Amino acid sequence: IKTSNLRGRGGAGFPIAFKLEACAAQTNDPKFIVCNADEGDPGAFSDRYIMEERPHALLQGMLLAGYMAGARYGVVYIRGEYPESVHIISNAIEELREAGFIGEAIAGTNFSFDFKVIHAQGAYICGEETALLSSIEGQRPEVRVRPPYPAQVGLFNKPTVVNNVETLACIPFILREGGERFAAIGKGKSTGTKLVSLDSFFNRPGIYEVDMGTPLRTVIDELGQGFKSDIKAMHIGGPLGGLVPISKINALEMSFESFHENGFLLGHASVVCIPQQFPLINYLHHLFAFTAHESCGKCFPCRLGSTRGAEMIYKALHEDYKIDKTLLTDLLETMEIGSLCALGGGLPLPIKNALMYFEDELRTWIE
């Protein structure tokens, strides 16, 4: 796994080997492998595809991760809006049980592992790993202060590895084919492949698997077959991902580094298009309002900052008021630096992208 340099596909791009090793080093049993299948990003459906079409790739990945980390249990936390996924994963777990691949003393060894499926209730914040753990425990899903990290103190205060569906589903290939084979796919530190979700503004929408490092232009023109109508930007990587103007398409490739270097975020690699005629200021208001609605309320910068941002834009849209750009920038900086998690901390990215690339359009409302 180390050799493969498999990195988290849920957005952060954190090496999974580091988590597994940190968890394995702990002596506090039992340990857990938690699959974050709370795929809440609008426009993202790659995790759903894996759960419903390749369920055993995910479950085997969790089983192998459990063996490496010395974990006893695997928990699959599935988004509330995915009842089919819950059904299919539950059936696949029973198939594993009947085949003798899970349970006590698997295949006569001293390794035991079993699964539990959690049907989530539709809260976006539960996609944040520590809020997810609190939700599993039956607590209010609030973000936890880190450190300690889940690999040390996680579910029920036990060592826990949390990763998303796509990441865990990569593990069987790596152990079967070797870390070098996986590392040979992709580019630089972004190894392997990535699932990309294209929305209905593409002539050929759907889900595609591409090598890391594939030019964004290739994904749009060859896989998506171009756009059905004129668009001015793509929101890539969910609500907290970067707002990519059409002018930047040729500069980007599907890798963590390329997006980061250009001031964006690959994230989940979901692509939501913004039509040419849609007022961007309305979209920015929606992003602030969405964050305010979905905030867990634990920290002030996210809870209050998102609400104040939504209020400012609403006032600019409906009253004789212009937003002071310095005030807005200060608000974004406070959220970015002060928020406990990526909900409040990530929202400023698309807003900043909009201020940078769509200044002329936004001048009516922002000084």
Side-chain angles (χ1 to χ4, degrees), residues 140-168:
R140 178 185 172 92
E142 286 188 337
V143 174
R144 301 178 184 180
V145 178
R146 285 161 293 193
Y149 293 94
Q152 302 159 308
V153 181
L155 186 61
F156 302 114
N157 293 324
K158 300 295 184 180
T160 306
V161 173
V162 185
N163 269 104
N164 90 315
V165 175
E166 189 180 348
T167 317
L168 291 162

Side-chain angles (χ1 to χ4, degrees), residues 327-340:
L327 180 63
L328 180 57
T329 304
D330 283 353
L331 174 67
L332 294 173
E333 188 178 337
T334 302
M335 293 183 70
E336 201 168 39
I337 295 172
S339 296
L340 274 176

Side-chain angles (χ1 to χ4, degrees), residues 54-331:
R54 302 286 186 273
H56 285 292
L58 166 62
L59 296 174
Q60 191 179 31
M62 293 181 68
L63 190 62
L64 293 166
Y67 184 79
M68 286 181 266
R72 175 68 179 78
Y73 299 102
V75 182
V76 192
Y77 187 95
I78 303 176
R79 184 184 181 193
E81 293 84 351
Y82 288 175
E84 297 93 342
S85 298
V86 173
H87 177 69
I88 291 168
I89 288 291
S90 298
N91 285 346
I93 289 170
E94 289 313 306
E95 288 172 3
L96 286 177
R97 193 181 311 283
E98 288 169 16
F101 292 137
I102 58 174
E104 298 295 323
I106 298 168
T109 68
N110 61 357
F111 176 59
S112 301
F113 195 86
D114 216 327
F115 287 96
K116 182 174 180 64
V117 176
I118 305 283
H119 192 176
Q121 298 298 311
Y124 183 73
I125 192 61
C126 288
E128 197 283 330
E129 63 176 11
T130 61
L132 182 152
L133 295 177
S134 294
S135 173
I136 295 172
E137 293 172 358
Q139 301 185 53
R140 178 185 172 92
E142 286 188 337
V143 174
R144 301 178 184 180
V145 178
R146 285 161 293 193
Y149 293 94
Q152 302 159 308
V153 181
L155 186 61
F156 302 114
N157 293 324
K158 300 295 184 180
T160 306
V161 173
V162 185
N163 269 104
N164 90 315
V165 175
E166 189 180 348
T167 317
L168 291 162
C170 288
I171 292 177
F173 174 90
I174 293 167
L175 293 194
R176 187 176 65 245
E177 304 291 336
E180 294 87 354
R181 175 86 189 278
F182 189 88
I185 307 168
K187 188 173 181 181
K189 292 182 180 178
S190 296
T191 58
T193 62
K194 182 75 190 80
L195 293 177
V196 184
S197 306
L198 303 183
D199 75 356
S200 58
F201 275 94
F202 288 88
N203 284 310
R204 194 166 65 177
I207 188 163
Y208 298 91
E209 184 176 19
V210 301
D211 289 0
M212 283 284 202
T214 300
L216 181 58
R217 174 63 70 186
T218 301
V219 174
I220 291 169
D221 291 349
E222 294 182 21
L223 302 180
Q225 301 277 294
F227 303 109
K228 287 178 182 174
S229 56
D230 291 339
I231 71 160
K232 56 187 167 189
M234 296 175 293
H235 203 165
I236 301 179
L240 316 175
L243 200 62
V244 180
I246 295 303
S247 60
K248 293 291 287 185
I249 290 175
N250 291 332
L252 291 169
E253 54 187 36
M254 305 304 290
S255 73
F256 298 113
E257 288 74 29
S258 175
F259 272 69
H260 178 72
E261 288 161 9
N262 284 278
F264 305 111
L265 181 75
L266 179 61
H268 218 112
S270 55
V271 182
V272 173
C273 297
I274 301 174
Q276 190 67 50
Q277 71 275 14
F278 190 85
L280 198 62
I281 190 72
N282 289 4
Y283 191 71
L284 300 187
H285 177 262
H286 166 70
L287 290 178
F288 272 118
F290 174 83
T291 304
H293 180 73
E294 296 292 352
S295 174
C296 77
K298 174 92 175 247
C299 66
F300 297 148
C302 175
R303 185 178 83 208
L304 301 180
S306 55
T307 303
R308 295 294 168 260
E311 287 172 349
M312 271 201 290
I313 295 180
Y314 184 87
K315 191 175 179 182
L317 283 167
H318 296 94
E319 298 177 23
D320 183 22
Y321 171 75
K322 254 197 166 184
I323 298 168
D324 184 310
K325 190 174 181 180
T326 304
L327 180 63
L328 180 57
T329 304
D330 283 353
L331 174 67

